[in-house]
Amino acid sequence: MPVFETHQGSSPIILGLPHTGTDMPQDIQERLNDTGKMLADTDWHIHDLYAGLLDDASTVRATFHRYVIDANRDPQGSSLYPGQNTTGLVPTTDFDGKPIWKAGEEPTQADISHRLATFHAPYHAALEAEIARVKAIHGIAILYDCHSIRSHIPFLFDGALPDFNVGTDMGRTCDPAIEAIAVDVTANARGYTSVLNGRFKGGWTTRQYGRPDSGVHAIQMELAQSTHLVTETPPFAFDTEKATKLRIHLKDILTRMEDFALHANDKGRPS
């Protein structure tokens, strides 16, 4: 089965989708316990939420589930948030800290190496290729990494997560104007809450590819799933009414970022 899907568009915007996939080889699935088989930590329906928001944006989507291997984690296994609870390159627990593998069936180092080569590396090779292609056309590329998570997860954070969580690794991964677009739209979205570089400051993907001085910018948007799901519990159904309202603001963000990119060279921005 293919481990990623790519759509090559003409826009300077690339949508990264590392966590919406639910595919899993049978031999790996059989090693999961009942908790793991729920696949609860999927970024449910995010590829549908963003579909059609920006004419001819490129997309790179991992089709495999993050329990196979997490495409948004450092391949060396380093923690994104040292000292805080999180899940690793190949998770051993879910977001609630509960084991996801049957006893004795936890992934070995050999498993991890195989999955890096079979899943993680091909996804990122596709993403790198798309970034290079888009930058060659426009002199600039903006990687917008699309994510979602439950709004209440005590194992990972206290209280309720804001609706919009913008991550730029404290401003390191993109031009300040790109960060400002996301902050402005989300802060002025009536009925929603937002934060910049709060609990989620951008995952490995954002930090790996965001090189503003070279004309490649990256930003992560982590959405609380309460913004677009009926409930944040199984079956994790998509709420069309909620999504319609949310998509207005997401489209505004992407459209304004695209406009920035198309006029970046005129403004003397890096190219």
Side-chain angles (χ1 to χ4, degrees):
M1 60 182 178
V3 301
F4 63 86
E5 299 171 345
T6 299
H7 168 73
Q8 294 186 333
S10 60
S11 170
I13 306 296
I14 303 161
L15 302 182
L17 297 155
H19 290 154
T20 70
T22 56
D23 290 349
M24 185 172 297
Q26 185 175 352
D27 62 323
I28 295 178
Q29 185 179 39
E30 289 174 349
R31 295 167 65 178
L32 290 169
N33 61 23
D34 288 343
T35 298
K37 288 176 180 177
M38 291 176 63
L39 306 183
D41 300 330
T42 306
D43 288 15
W44 298 104
H45 307 289
I46 283 294
H47 53 300
D48 296 321
L49 183 68
Y50 280 93
L53 287 181
L54 191 66
D55 289 341
D56 218 16
S58 294
T59 59
V60 182
R61 174 179 179 256
T63 58
F64 55 92
H65 195 264
R66 69 190 304 159
Y67 291 169
V68 176
I69 193 165
D70 193 325
N72 197 36
R73 294 291 185 271
D74 185 339
Q76 302 302 315
S78 300
S79 175
L80 293 171
Y81 300 100
Q84 298 184 59
N85 286 339
T86 186
T87 53
L89 177 61
V90 175
T92 56
T93 70
D94 66 8
F95 287 164
D96 295 315
K98 298 177 182 177
I100 60 174
W101 303 98
K102 294 176 181 176
E105 296 286 352
E106 296 86 356
T108 64
Q109 188 56 54
D111 291 327
I112 294 171
S113 296
H114 175 72
R115 296 181 198 183
L116 274 169
T118 306
F119 298 93
H120 193 284
Y123 171 76
H124 282 283
L127 191 57
E128 289 176 6
E130 194 58 19
I131 290 170
R133 186 188 71 84
V134 167
K135 185 174 182 291
I137 295 171
H138 297 284
I140 184 174
I142 299 177
L143 173 61
Y144 179 103
D145 219 36
C146 310
H147 295 262
S148 73
I149 194 168
R150 285 179 284 140
S151 59
H152 290 82
I153 307 180
F155 182 71
L156 297 183
F157 50 82
D158 295 329
L161 195 71
D163 298 318
F164 294 103
N165 299 266
V166 180
T168 64
D169 195 25
M170 308 308 291
R172 297 182 183 93
T173 64
C174 67
D175 189 288
I178 295 171
E179 180 184 86
I181 289 168
V183 170
D184 180 58
V185 173
T186 58
N188 288 289
R190 179 176 292 185
Y192 295 93
T193 55
S194 63
V195 67
L196 171 65
N197 291 315
R199 174 60 179 84
F200 298 99
K201 298 176 175 63
W204 184 77
T205 301
T206 308
R207 303 182 201 190
Q208 173 71 8
Y209 298 110
R211 300 288 184 267
D213 290 345
S214 71
V216 178
H217 308 263
I219 189 166
Q220 177 174 305
M221 179 64 77
E222 187 90 47
L223 297 169
Q225 291 181 343
S226 56
T227 62
H228 56 282
L229 298 186
V230 176
T231 63
E232 298 179 333
T233 55
F236 305 106
F238 191 63
D239 189 315
T240 303
E241 183 176 353
K242 286 183 180 179
T244 298
K245 295 177 181 178
L246 180 62
R247 279 166 57 87
I248 294 170
H249 305 296
L250 297 176
K251 182 178 179 66
D252 193 13
I253 291 169
L254 294 176
T255 301
R256 289 173 60 176
M257 287 185 182
E258 181 180 58
D259 183 68
F260 167 84
L262 291 173
H263 296 90
N265 293 338
D266 298 338
K267 299 175 183 177
R269 301 291 182 184
S271 62

